[in-house]
mmCIF file of all heavy atoms in Angstrom:
data_model
loop_
_atom_site.group_PDB
_atom_site.id
_atom_site.type_symbol
_atom_site.label_atom_id
_atom_site.label_comp_id
_atom_site.label_asym_id
_atom_site.label_seq_id
_atom_site.Cartn_x
_atom_site.Cartn_y
_atom_site.Cartn_z
ATOM 1 N N ASN A 30 81.531 117.584 80.140
ATOM 2 C CA ASN A 30 80.278 117.132 80.786
ATOM 3 C C ASN A 30 80.436 116.001 81.753
ATOM 4 O O ASN A 30 79.587 115.792 82.610
ATOM 5 C CB ASN A 30 79.308 116.718 79.684
ATOM 6 C CG ASN A 30 78.892 117.869 78.719
ATOM 7 O OD1 ASN A 30 79.083 119.019 79.115
ATOM 8 N ND2 ASN A 30 78.447 117.503 77.532
ATOM 9 N N GLY A 31 81.593 115.299 81.703
ATOM 10 C CA GLY A 31 81.796 114.180 82.638
ATOM 11 C C GLY A 31 81.145 112.885 82.148
ATOM 12 O O GLY A 31 80.370 112.854 81.223
ATOM 13 N N GLY A 32 81.339 111.848 82.936
ATOM 14 C CA GLY A 32 80.726 110.582 82.644
ATOM 15 C C GLY A 32 81.782 109.521 82.271
ATOM 16 O O GLY A 32 83.008 109.835 82.136
ATOM 17 N N ARG A 33 81.374 108.263 82.128
ATOM 18 C CA ARG A 33 82.295 107.195 81.753
ATOM 19 C C ARG A 33 82.419 107.069 80.310
ATOM 20 O O ARG A 33 81.562 107.274 79.500
ATOM 21 C CB ARG A 33 81.796 105.857 82.337
ATOM 22 C CG ARG A 33 81.701 105.763 83.823
ATOM 23 C CD ARG A 33 81.486 104.319 84.253
ATOM 24 N NE ARG A 33 81.143 104.204 85.689
ATOM 25 C CZ ARG A 33 79.971 104.166 86.165
ATOM 26 N NH1 ARG A 33 78.921 104.195 85.376
ATOM 27 N NH2 ARG A 33 79.807 104.048 87.427
ATOM 28 N N VAL A 34 83.651 106.616 79.896
ATOM 29 C CA VAL A 34 83.947 106.276 78.497
ATOM 30 C C VAL A 34 84.432 104.871 78.488
ATOM 31 O O VAL A 34 85.401 104.455 79.211
ATOM 32 C CB VAL A 34 85.059 107.205 77.969
ATOM 33 C CG1 VAL A 34 85.462 106.743 76.545
ATOM 34 C CG2 VAL A 34 84.597 108.641 77.925
ATOM 35 N N VAL A 35 83.745 104.022 77.677
ATOM 36 C CA VAL A 35 84.166 102.667 77.513
ATOM 37 C C VAL A 35 85.143 102.584 76.319
ATOM 38 O O VAL A 35 84.900 103.123 75.236
ATOM 39 C CB VAL A 35 83.020 101.682 77.230
ATOM 40 C CG1 VAL A 35 83.523 100.348 76.773
ATOM 41 C CG2 VAL A 35 82.170 101.529 78.453
ATOM 42 N N ILE A 36 86.362 102.014 76.569
ATOM 43 C CA ILE A 36 87.356 101.878 75.512
ATOM 44 C C ILE A 36 87.443 100.398 75.225
ATOM 45 O O ILE A 36 87.863 99.608 76.124
ATOM 46 C CB ILE A 36 88.732 102.364 75.960
ATOM 47 C CG1 ILE A 36 88.611 103.885 76.355
ATOM 48 C CG2 ILE A 36 89.766 102.234 74.915
ATOM 49 C CD1 ILE A 36 89.786 104.432 77.208
ATOM 50 N N PHE A 37 87.036 99.980 74.045
ATOM 51 C CA PHE A 37 87.000 98.604 73.647
ATOM 52 C C PHE A 37 88.152 98.380 72.646
ATOM 53 O O PHE A 37 88.160 98.881 71.565
ATOM 54 C CB PHE A 37 85.660 98.275 72.985
ATOM 55 C CG PHE A 37 85.459 96.821 72.749
ATOM 56 C CD1 PHE A 37 84.756 96.001 73.636
ATOM 57 C CD2 PHE A 37 85.938 96.208 71.599
ATOM 58 C CE1 PHE A 37 84.592 94.697 73.435
ATOM 59 C CE2 PHE A 37 85.788 94.843 71.334
ATOM 60 C CZ PHE A 37 85.099 94.094 72.245
ATOM 61 N N GLY A 38 89.146 97.569 73.104
ATOM 62 C CA GLY A 38 90.322 97.340 72.250
ATOM 63 C C GLY A 38 90.355 95.906 71.721
ATOM 64 O O GLY A 38 89.384 95.204 71.782
ATOM 65 N N ASP A 39 91.520 95.502 71.262
ATOM 66 C CA ASP A 39 91.730 94.138 70.769
ATOM 67 C C ASP A 39 92.665 93.415 71.719
ATOM 68 O O ASP A 39 93.327 94.054 72.544
ATOM 69 C CB ASP A 39 92.319 94.162 69.365
ATOM 70 C CG ASP A 39 92.367 92.770 68.735
ATOM 71 O OD1 ASP A 39 91.519 91.943 69.097
ATOM 72 O OD2 ASP A 39 93.227 92.547 67.888
ATOM 73 N N TYR A 40 92.793 92.114 71.560
ATOM 74 C CA TYR A 40 93.546 91.291 72.546
ATOM 75 C C TYR A 40 95.000 91.210 72.126
ATOM 76 O O TYR A 40 95.784 90.607 72.868
ATOM 77 C CB TYR A 40 92.946 89.954 72.722
ATOM 78 C CG TYR A 40 92.494 89.262 71.395
ATOM 79 C CD1 TYR A 40 93.416 88.884 70.433
ATOM 80 C CD2 TYR A 40 91.145 88.990 71.191
ATOM 81 C CE1 TYR A 40 92.966 88.297 69.242
ATOM 82 C CE2 TYR A 40 90.725 88.390 70.021
ATOM 83 C CZ TYR A 40 91.623 88.077 69.066
ATOM 84 O OH TYR A 40 91.225 87.482 67.924
ATOM 85 N N ASP A 41 95.438 91.753 71.002
ATOM 86 C CA ASP A 41 96.858 91.660 70.664
ATOM 87 C C ASP A 41 97.619 92.893 71.167
ATOM 88 O O ASP A 41 97.051 93.790 71.753
ATOM 89 C CB ASP A 41 97.072 91.456 69.138
ATOM 90 C CG ASP A 41 96.663 92.650 68.303
ATOM 91 O OD1 ASP A 41 96.308 93.738 68.891
ATOM 92 O OD2 ASP A 41 96.740 92.598 67.060
ATOM 93 N N VAL A 42 98.945 92.919 70.916
ATOM 94 C CA VAL A 42 99.784 93.995 71.496
ATOM 95 C C VAL A 42 99.370 95.325 70.948
ATOM 96 O O VAL A 42 99.329 96.329 71.744
ATOM 97 C CB VAL A 42 101.249 93.683 71.220
ATOM 98 C CG1 VAL A 42 102.108 94.783 71.760
ATOM 99 C CG2 VAL A 42 101.676 92.355 71.832
ATOM 100 N N ASP A 43 99.066 95.411 69.692
ATOM 101 C CA ASP A 43 98.585 96.703 69.161
ATOM 102 C C ASP A 43 97.353 97.187 69.865
ATOM 103 O O ASP A 43 97.281 98.377 70.310
ATOM 104 C CB ASP A 43 98.378 96.536 67.629
ATOM 105 C CG ASP A 43 98.027 97.880 66.959
ATOM 106 O OD1 ASP A 43 98.412 98.961 67.472
ATOM 107 O OD2 ASP A 43 97.449 97.810 65.833
ATOM 108 N N GLY A 44 96.387 96.335 69.994
ATOM 109 C CA GLY A 44 95.147 96.680 70.681
ATOM 110 C C GLY A 44 95.328 96.977 72.124
ATOM 111 O O GLY A 44 94.731 97.948 72.687
ATOM 112 N N LEU A 45 96.195 96.257 72.792
ATOM 113 C CA LEU A 45 96.402 96.473 74.215
ATOM 114 C C LEU A 45 97.172 97.807 74.474
ATOM 115 O O LEU A 45 96.824 98.529 75.418
ATOM 116 C CB LEU A 45 97.264 95.290 74.799
ATOM 117 C CG LEU A 45 96.561 93.945 74.847
ATOM 118 C CD1 LEU A 45 97.561 92.851 75.132
ATOM 119 C CD2 LEU A 45 95.419 94.002 75.958
ATOM 120 N N THR A 46 98.223 98.081 73.645
ATOM 121 C CA THR A 46 98.927 99.374 73.853
ATOM 122 C C THR A 46 97.997 100.517 73.494
ATOM 123 O O THR A 46 98.092 101.608 74.140
ATOM 124 C CB THR A 46 100.241 99.367 73.032
ATOM 125 O OG1 THR A 46 99.951 99.051 71.676
ATOM 126 C CG2 THR A 46 101.255 98.395 73.589
ATOM 127 N N ALA A 47 97.213 100.409 72.457
ATOM 128 C CA ALA A 47 96.309 101.472 72.071
ATOM 129 C C ALA A 47 95.269 101.746 73.142
ATOM 130 O O ALA A 47 94.957 102.924 73.469
ATOM 131 C CB ALA A 47 95.658 101.132 70.728
ATOM 132 N N THR A 48 94.739 100.676 73.754
ATOM 133 C CA THR A 48 93.739 100.832 74.840
ATOM 134 C C THR A 48 94.406 101.515 76.015
ATOM 135 O O THR A 48 93.797 102.419 76.604
ATOM 136 C CB THR A 48 93.228 99.441 75.268
ATOM 137 O OG1 THR A 48 92.594 98.825 74.079
ATOM 138 C CG2 THR A 48 92.223 99.523 76.329
ATOM 139 N N THR A 49 95.616 101.146 76.330
ATOM 140 C CA THR A 49 96.312 101.696 77.440
ATOM 141 C C THR A 49 96.545 103.247 77.216
ATOM 142 O O THR A 49 96.360 104.060 78.076
ATOM 143 C CB THR A 49 97.670 101.018 77.658
ATOM 144 O OG1 THR A 49 97.448 99.649 77.942
ATOM 145 C CG2 THR A 49 98.441 101.601 78.849
ATOM 146 N N LEU A 50 96.975 103.537 76.003
ATOM 147 C CA LEU A 50 97.217 104.980 75.665
ATOM 148 C C LEU A 50 95.951 105.784 75.883
ATOM 149 O O LEU A 50 95.934 106.877 76.456
ATOM 150 C CB LEU A 50 97.701 105.094 74.201
ATOM 151 C CG LEU A 50 98.196 106.429 73.719
ATOM 152 C CD1 LEU A 50 99.144 106.251 72.518
ATOM 153 C CD2 LEU A 50 97.053 107.370 73.338
ATOM 154 N N LEU A 51 94.813 105.241 75.392
ATOM 155 C CA LEU A 51 93.518 106.001 75.559
ATOM 156 C C LEU A 51 93.061 106.107 76.937
ATOM 157 O O LEU A 51 92.452 107.092 77.337
ATOM 158 C CB LEU A 51 92.460 105.342 74.649
ATOM 159 C CG LEU A 51 92.714 105.481 73.136
ATOM 160 C CD1 LEU A 51 91.754 104.577 72.349
ATOM 161 C CD2 LEU A 51 92.622 106.914 72.650
ATOM 162 N N VAL A 52 93.288 105.050 77.730
ATOM 163 C CA VAL A 52 92.992 105.141 79.177
ATOM 164 C C VAL A 52 93.697 106.335 79.792
ATOM 165 O O VAL A 52 93.136 107.112 80.524
ATOM 166 C CB VAL A 52 93.298 103.831 79.872
ATOM 167 C CG1 VAL A 52 93.238 103.995 81.397
ATOM 168 C CG2 VAL A 52 92.282 102.722 79.494
ATOM 169 N N HIS A 53 95.001 106.448 79.524
ATOM 170 C CA HIS A 53 95.808 107.526 80.101
ATOM 171 C C HIS A 53 95.356 108.857 79.529
ATOM 172 O O HIS A 53 95.296 109.849 80.246
ATOM 173 C CB HIS A 53 97.280 107.310 79.801
ATOM 174 C CG HIS A 53 97.928 106.200 80.616
ATOM 175 N ND1 HIS A 53 97.931 106.230 82.008
ATOM 176 C CD2 HIS A 53 98.476 105.047 80.256
ATOM 177 C CE1 HIS A 53 98.549 105.120 82.439
ATOM 178 N NE2 HIS A 53 98.875 104.394 81.415
ATOM 179 N N LEU A 54 94.965 108.876 78.270
ATOM 180 C CA LEU A 54 94.529 110.176 77.644
ATOM 181 C C LEU A 54 93.279 110.648 78.378
ATOM 182 O O LEU A 54 93.169 111.796 78.805
ATOM 183 C CB LEU A 54 94.223 109.938 76.200
ATOM 184 C CG LEU A 54 93.743 111.144 75.426
ATOM 185 C CD1 LEU A 54 94.185 111.004 73.927
ATOM 186 C CD2 LEU A 54 92.217 111.267 75.417
ATOM 187 N N PHE A 55 92.302 109.749 78.618
ATOM 188 C CA PHE A 55 91.028 110.170 79.221
ATOM 189 C C PHE A 55 91.291 110.496 80.710
ATOM 190 O O PHE A 55 90.643 111.403 81.262
ATOM 191 C CB PHE A 55 89.990 109.113 79.097
ATOM 192 C CG PHE A 55 89.270 109.173 77.691
ATOM 193 C CD1 PHE A 55 89.551 108.246 76.723
ATOM 194 C CD2 PHE A 55 88.373 110.158 77.371
ATOM 195 C CE1 PHE A 55 88.995 108.281 75.458
ATOM 196 C CE2 PHE A 55 87.780 110.271 76.138
ATOM 197 C CZ PHE A 55 88.094 109.292 75.206
ATOM 198 N N ARG A 56 92.132 109.769 81.386
ATOM 199 C CA ARG A 56 92.395 110.095 82.773
ATOM 200 C C ARG A 56 93.065 111.457 82.893
ATOM 201 O O ARG A 56 92.752 112.247 83.791
ATOM 202 C CB ARG A 56 93.326 109.016 83.356
ATOM 203 C CG ARG A 56 92.639 107.707 83.735
ATOM 204 C CD ARG A 56 93.631 106.701 84.256
ATOM 205 N NE ARG A 56 92.991 105.492 84.666
ATOM 206 C CZ ARG A 56 93.619 104.326 84.967
ATOM 207 N NH1 ARG A 56 94.940 104.268 84.945
ATOM 208 N NH2 ARG A 56 92.951 103.231 85.327
ATOM 209 N N SER A 57 93.949 111.777 81.924
ATOM 210 C CA SER A 57 94.541 113.155 81.937
ATOM 211 C C SER A 57 93.534 114.230 81.747
ATOM 212 O O SER A 57 93.777 115.321 82.097
ATOM 213 C CB SER A 57 95.622 113.174 80.824
ATOM 214 O OG SER A 57 96.632 112.259 81.087
ATOM 215 N N LEU A 58 92.380 113.924 81.104
ATOM 216 C CA LEU A 58 91.340 114.881 80.927
ATOM 217 C C LEU A 58 90.272 114.847 82.071
ATOM 218 O O LEU A 58 89.270 115.642 81.975
ATOM 219 C CB LEU A 58 90.583 114.606 79.608
ATOM 220 C CG LEU A 58 91.446 114.788 78.277
ATOM 221 C CD1 LEU A 58 90.655 114.288 77.098
ATOM 222 C CD2 LEU A 58 91.851 116.237 78.121
ATOM 223 N N GLY A 59 90.539 114.059 83.058
ATOM 224 C CA GLY A 59 89.608 113.968 84.171
ATOM 225 C C GLY A 59 88.366 113.149 83.880
ATOM 226 O O GLY A 59 87.367 113.288 84.616
ATOM 227 N N VAL A 60 88.444 112.301 82.868
ATOM 228 C CA VAL A 60 87.303 111.469 82.544
ATOM 229 C C VAL A 60 87.597 110.001 82.999
ATOM 230 O O VAL A 60 88.707 109.479 82.886
ATOM 231 C CB VAL A 60 87.055 111.469 81.000
ATOM 232 C CG1 VAL A 60 85.984 110.503 80.594
ATOM 233 C CG2 VAL A 60 86.810 112.865 80.539
ATOM 234 N N GLU A 61 86.542 109.301 83.506
ATOM 235 C CA GLU A 61 86.685 107.920 83.974
ATOM 236 C C GLU A 61 86.624 106.930 82.781
ATOM 237 O O GLU A 61 85.549 106.769 82.187
ATOM 238 C CB GLU A 61 85.560 107.593 84.965
ATOM 239 C CG GLU A 61 85.701 106.188 85.463
ATOM 240 C CD GLU A 61 84.494 105.758 86.306
ATOM 241 O OE1 GLU A 61 83.575 106.653 86.639
ATOM 242 O OE2 GLU A 61 84.382 104.590 86.676
ATOM 243 N N PRO A 62 87.680 106.279 82.446
ATOM 244 C CA PRO A 62 87.706 105.266 81.389
ATOM 245 C C PRO A 62 87.387 103.911 81.942
ATOM 246 O O PRO A 62 87.778 103.527 83.028
ATOM 247 C CB PRO A 62 89.109 105.329 80.827
ATOM 248 C CG PRO A 62 89.994 105.708 82.014
ATOM 249 C CD PRO A 62 89.120 106.498 82.986
ATOM 250 N N VAL A 63 86.693 103.088 81.120
ATOM 251 C CA VAL A 63 86.447 101.713 81.451
ATOM 252 C C VAL A 63 86.997 100.848 80.284
ATOM 253 O O VAL A 63 86.386 100.713 79.202
ATOM 254 C CB VAL A 63 84.884 101.431 81.575
ATOM 255 C CG1 VAL A 63 84.654 99.922 81.911
ATOM 256 C CG2 VAL A 63 84.296 102.319 82.637
ATOM 257 N N PRO A 64 88.224 100.320 80.461
ATOM 258 C CA PRO A 64 88.808 99.512 79.368
ATOM 259 C C PRO A 64 88.179 98.156 79.288
ATOM 260 O O PRO A 64 87.914 97.494 80.305
ATOM 261 C CB PRO A 64 90.295 99.493 79.736
ATOM 262 C CG PRO A 64 90.268 99.616 81.260
ATOM 263 C CD PRO A 64 89.089 100.419 81.615
ATOM 264 N N MET A 65 87.986 97.615 78.098
ATOM 265 C CA MET A 65 87.517 96.289 77.830
ATOM 266 C C MET A 65 88.262 95.694 76.656
ATOM 267 O O MET A 65 88.522 96.403 75.686
ATOM 268 C CB MET A 65 86.015 96.311 77.479
ATOM 269 C CG MET A 65 85.113 96.829 78.561
ATOM 270 S SD MET A 65 83.377 96.928 78.006
ATOM 271 C CE MET A 65 83.010 95.205 77.661
ATOM 272 N N VAL A 66 88.635 94.412 76.775
ATOM 273 C CA VAL A 66 89.202 93.675 75.649
ATOM 274 C C VAL A 66 88.509 92.325 75.565
ATOM 275 O O VAL A 66 88.211 91.756 76.549
ATOM 276 C CB VAL A 66 90.748 93.533 75.789
ATOM 277 C CG1 VAL A 66 91.453 94.807 75.574
ATOM 278 C CG2 VAL A 66 91.126 92.844 77.088
ATOM 279 N N PRO A 67 88.240 91.834 74.361
ATOM 280 C CA PRO A 67 87.558 90.553 74.237
ATOM 281 C C PRO A 67 88.497 89.400 74.492
ATOM 282 O O PRO A 67 89.725 89.510 74.428
ATOM 283 C CB PRO A 67 87.166 90.533 72.721
ATOM 284 C CG PRO A 67 88.124 91.369 72.033
ATOM 285 C CD PRO A 67 88.516 92.454 73.057
ATOM 286 N N HIS A 68 87.927 88.283 74.828
ATOM 287 C CA HIS A 68 88.664 86.988 75.008
ATOM 288 C C HIS A 68 88.837 86.333 73.682
ATOM 289 O O HIS A 68 87.873 86.227 72.895
ATOM 290 C CB HIS A 68 87.865 86.098 75.983
ATOM 291 C CG HIS A 68 88.720 84.898 76.423
ATOM 292 N ND1 HIS A 68 88.886 83.807 75.658
ATOM 293 C CD2 HIS A 68 89.369 84.664 77.556
ATOM 294 C CE1 HIS A 68 89.673 82.926 76.310
ATOM 295 N NE2 HIS A 68 89.951 83.411 77.484
ATOM 296 N N ARG A 69 90.067 85.956 73.307
ATOM 297 C CA ARG A 69 90.355 85.450 72.033
ATOM 298 C C ARG A 69 89.492 84.241 71.598
ATOM 299 O O ARG A 69 88.981 84.198 70.491
ATOM 300 C CB ARG A 69 91.853 84.998 71.906
ATOM 301 C CG ARG A 69 92.229 84.409 70.550
ATOM 302 C CD ARG A 69 93.677 83.948 70.577
ATOM 303 N NE ARG A 69 94.619 85.071 70.654
ATOM 304 C CZ ARG A 69 95.228 85.565 69.510
ATOM 305 N NH1 ARG A 69 94.813 85.079 68.348
ATOM 306 N NH2 ARG A 69 96.049 86.542 69.683
ATOM 307 N N LEU A 70 89.261 83.293 72.557
ATOM 308 C CA LEU A 70 88.525 82.082 72.207
ATOM 309 C C LEU A 70 87.051 82.237 72.444
ATOM 310 O O LEU A 70 86.229 81.844 71.617
ATOM 311 C CB LEU A 70 89.090 80.940 73.075
ATOM 312 C CG LEU A 70 90.565 80.586 72.808
ATOM 313 C CD1 LEU A 70 90.879 79.321 73.618
ATOM 314 C CD2 LEU A 70 90.853 80.293 71.311
ATOM 315 N N ARG A 71 86.649 82.884 73.508
ATOM 316 C CA ARG A 71 85.199 82.988 73.815
ATOM 317 C C ARG A 71 84.511 84.057 72.983
ATOM 318 O O ARG A 71 83.360 83.869 72.589
ATOM 319 C CB ARG A 71 85.029 83.329 75.333
ATOM 320 C CG ARG A 71 85.342 82.246 76.309
ATOM 321 C CD ARG A 71 84.808 82.507 77.667
ATOM 322 N NE ARG A 71 85.321 83.715 78.247
ATOM 323 C CZ ARG A 71 86.393 83.825 79.038
ATOM 324 N NH1 ARG A 71 87.083 82.665 79.344
ATOM 325 N NH2 ARG A 71 86.733 84.954 79.532
#
């Protein structure tokens, strides 16, 4: 159907690599990903 997908990960290495993997997965499917990670302190 198309549309944007927000991928919300964590700020550590596990969360960052998982977010990156999912961004590539959705791009490979022709879907626009919007990655987001929270700020540790804020």
Side-chain angles (χ1 to χ4, degrees):
N30 298 338
R33 293 193 191 95
V34 174
V35 170
I36 303 165
F37 188 96
D39 188 28
Y40 43 66
D41 69 3
V42 177
D43 186 23
L45 292 166
T46 52
T48 300
T49 301
L50 189 158
L51 291 171
V52 166
H53 287 300
L54 182 150
F55 280 105
R56 284 177 178 169
S57 297
L58 294 172
V60 177
E61 179 187 355
V63 179
M65 298 175 63
V66 289
H68 191 281
R69 180 184 287 268
L70 300 183
R71 292 195 299 267

